[in-house]
Amino acid sequence: MEELTGEQVAQLHREHVMQPWHKQGGDVTAISKADGIYFWDYAGKRYADMSSLLVCSNLGHELPEIVDAIKAQADRMCFMSPAYATEPKSRLAEKLVEVAGADFYQRVFFTNGGADANENAIKMARMVTGRAKILSCYRSYHGATYAASNASGDWRRFAAETGGSLPGFVHFMNANMYENGYTRGVDDAEVTADYLQRLEEQLQYEGPTSVAAIILESVVGANGVILPPKGYLEGIRALCDKYGILMICDEVMSGFARTGKMFAWQNFDIQPDMFSFAKGVTCGYVPLGGVVVSKAISDYFCDNVLQCGLTYSGHTLACAAGVATMDYYAEHDVCAHVLEMEAILKPYLESMQAKHRCVGEARCIGLFAALTIVKNKETRELMSPYHDAHSVMPTIMGKLMEKGFATFGRESNINICPPLTITEEQLREELPKLDEVLTWVDENLCN
């Protein structure tokens, strides 16, 4: 087959591919290859992947250990029905339970990705409790399937609500200390008490015995790496225990060493009843997701039929990639490396907050970080109001892309979430590009 040029690839994409979350037919960059923390377009321009694509390429691109595992499994058996046990699926489930904590967790339900992981966690919560309502945060994203969309809080749920939202989905406002006018590390106790009081009051109005689960991101991801105030997740765990509600943590973006722990919820004094995962379990090399469930939930489904199923649940090739990925995290102590890189990234981003008029707040846990971009630092006026149809943020992202600093953001946030394999030298090479663009924003877009 004749190899296509970059322009031919881009043109075919514009004509025939439905681009997620975009109007169709617009400009697109054709990518020819990727390796490590970098990828290249057809003109040979190199981009540093400073967002791990969609915060999924945790171990970078074309890692030999994962690629070789996929090749070896492909030679043996690519796929087997979920009804049968396979070595990759069995091994991966065991590894996931072990790193989560085998004293509390028991089994894994495998899915194709993060959205259907959350979808099936919601179904299981309703089956186990016999209750219907699912509470979730406005500042959240849980996926684009129907129930996951309705559980999501940001504007990407709107299309799924055409003609009305699904019954039983209720949203509550979660804390965003900077945008709510508070100072992190100073006002945490006040914010936590306030938001927990509001949530408990809302539970009373909804009827707590009708609520099956509260689902929330351990650290809010796509909406700006919003760190929970101290004690907040512990307080939600206590409310769940008080009213017999299941706690589901969405670890799709924040899991697998991203925060310096294998799972982000392990940074807090909680154990969710279930948590969803995807992305970093295979680093996107093959699609895979799932739900890790507690022993109590696992035991329930020993006596009751699990009414969840997917043709590709525990896909053999994907699980082989997952085993290799999990082995790499452990054998290379990726969590420790992440904390070493955090010691470089976090103070740098804080220096950007101090230096630039456009940076309202810097947030960083592990290699999971974001900047809130503002027009006016004194008033905390955001650069782009929520769901702004005329946002300038794409222009800012374009400036970064021009410099070979590839990342994404939403609303007024710039996310900085590089592959966890990034070296100190690479990090120090790329961060000045961010500084240069922020200087441009100061000079052209700030009041």
Side-chain angles (χ1 to χ4, degrees):
M1 183 181 295
E2 182 181 356
E3 188 173 345
L4 300 177
T5 67
E7 180 49 41
Q8 288 173 322
V9 171
Q11 183 60 30
L12 288 173
H13 182 103
R14 286 190 291 267
E15 292 179 357
H16 301 298
V17 176
M18 295 291 286
Q19 180 83 6
W21 310 117
H22 282 77
K23 294 179 180 178
Q24 302 306 303
D27 291 338
V28 63
T29 301
I31 302 301
S32 63
K33 65 176 182 177
D35 184 63
I37 73 158
Y38 304 108
F39 57 85
W40 288 261
D41 64 21
Y42 277 76
K45 182 174 179 177
R46 189 187 78 174
Y47 302 87
D49 182 6
M50 296 304 287
S51 64
S52 303
L53 297 182
L54 297 176
V55 196
C56 55
S57 300
N58 284 15
L59 299 179
H61 304 281
E62 296 301 301
L63 187 74
E65 288 85 346
I66 303 177
V67 173
D68 290 346
I70 293 170
K71 290 178 179 178
Q73 187 60 49
D75 285 339
R76 182 178 180 182
M77 176 174 60
C78 285
F79 171 65
M80 183 48 57
S81 165
Y84 299 100
T86 64
E87 183 176 342
K89 179 168 58 177
S90 297
R91 284 190 179 276
L92 181 56
E94 179 187 35
K95 289 177 183 292
L96 289 165
V97 168
E98 285 179 350
V99 296
D103 57 329
F104 187 82
Y105 297 100
Q106 177 74 43
R107 287 187 169 89
V108 182
F109 178 76
F110 286 108
T111 65
N112 301 320
D116 50 352
N118 288 322
E119 192 97 11
N120 283 281
I122 288 167
K123 287 174 66 176
M124 283 189 271
R126 286 173 163 169
M127 284 185 274
V128 169
T129 64
R131 302 174 180 182
K133 290 183 180 178
I134 304 295
L135 265 67
S136 57
C137 305
Y138 274 110
R139 296 180 176 111
S140 74
Y141 181 68
H142 297 292
T145 53
Y146 214 38
S149 286
N150 275 262
S152 297
D154 73 22
W155 58 265
R156 287 173 291 178
R157 78 181 193 277
F158 293 165
E161 293 178 339
T162 302
S165 58
L166 286 178
F169 287 89
V170 179
H171 293 95
F172 63 95
M173 188 59 76
N174 48 328
N176 182 339
M177 294 188 68
Y178 178 79
E179 292 187 22
N180 295 154
Y182 295 99
T183 301
R184 189 173 304 280
V186 176
D187 301 317
D188 291 62
E190 178 184 350
V191 173
T192 292
D194 181 27
Y195 275 84
L196 291 177
Q197 186 275 328
R198 292 189 208 179
L199 177 57
E200 184 163 23
E201 183 177 35
Q202 189 170 357
L203 284 170
Q204 292 299 332
Y205 276 97
E206 290 294 335
T209 58
S210 70
V211 178
I214 295 176
I215 182 171
L216 74 169
E217 295 166 274
S218 308
V219 175
V220 173
N223 281 269
V225 190
I226 304 171
L227 305 176
K230 187 176 181 180
Y232 181 69
L233 292 182
E234 291 83 353
I236 290 182
R237 173 74 270 183
L239 286 175
C240 288
D241 292 340
K242 181 177 180 178
Y243 294 112
I245 297 167
L246 298 179
M247 184 179 188
I248 305 171
C249 280
D250 181 339
E251 290 275 333
V252 171
M253 189 172 281
S254 61
F256 299 103
R258 174 59 56 184
T259 65
K261 300 280 189 181
M262 275 304 291
F263 301 109
W265 61 261
Q266 292 172 329
N267 290 282
F268 311 98
D269 188 20
I270 62 168
Q271 284 182 306
D273 298 287
M274 291 183 270
F275 65 92
S276 58
F277 66 87
K279 294 185 184 282
V281 70
T282 64
C283 300
Y285 286 46
V286 185
L288 183 67
V291 188
V292 179
V293 305
S294 69
K295 288 185 176 181
I297 293 173
S298 177
D299 288 346
Y300 175 86
F301 288 112
C302 289
D303 298 320
N304 298 272
V305 175
L306 174 62
Q307 297 182 56
C308 300
L310 298 157
T311 297
Y312 302 129
S313 177
H315 191 282
T316 317
L317 201 63
C319 286
V323 170
T325 303
M326 293 295 289
D327 286 344
Y328 192 95
Y329 285 129
E331 292 168 7
H332 292 80
D333 200 357
V334 173
C335 286
H337 178 71
V338 167
L339 294 178
E340 290 173 3
M341 295 303 100
E342 179 194 51
I344 298 168
L345 179 61
K346 186 174 182 179
Y348 187 91
L349 296 180
E350 290 172 347
S351 75
M352 293 298 95
Q353 178 181 336
K355 176 180 179 180
H356 291 288
R357 291 189 294 144
C358 67
V359 180
E361 185 184 44
R363 297 175 296 280
C364 181
I365 179 170
L367 287 174
F368 204 25
L371 301 175
T372 295
I373 307 302
V374 295
K375 288 183 179 179
N376 188 304
K377 206 163 188 173
E378 292 183 3
T379 64
R380 302 192 183 191
E381 180 186 359
L382 299 177
M383 185 61 69
S384 176
Y386 178 73
H387 199 32
D388 183 6
H390 306 287
S391 173
V392 299
M393 293 303 293
T395 300
I396 297 172
M397 296 301 170
K399 293 287 183 182
L400 288 166
M401 193 71 170
E402 288 173 10
K403 293 184 178 297
F405 188 106
T407 189
F408 75 97
R410 185 156 290 107
E411 314 309 339
S412 290
N413 299 302
I414 297 175
N415 292 345
I416 302 97
C417 313
L420 309 184
T421 52
I422 195 168
T423 65
E424 178 178 350
E425 181 182 9
Q426 291 169 332
L427 194 56
R428 293 194 187 280
E429 178 184 2
E430 297 304 324
L431 288 175
K433 299 175 184 177
L434 177 64
D435 187 14
E436 292 171 13
V437 171
L438 294 174
T439 298
W440 179 89
V441 176
D442 285 344
E443 295 171 351
N444 291 276
L445 298 176
C446 284
N447 294 335

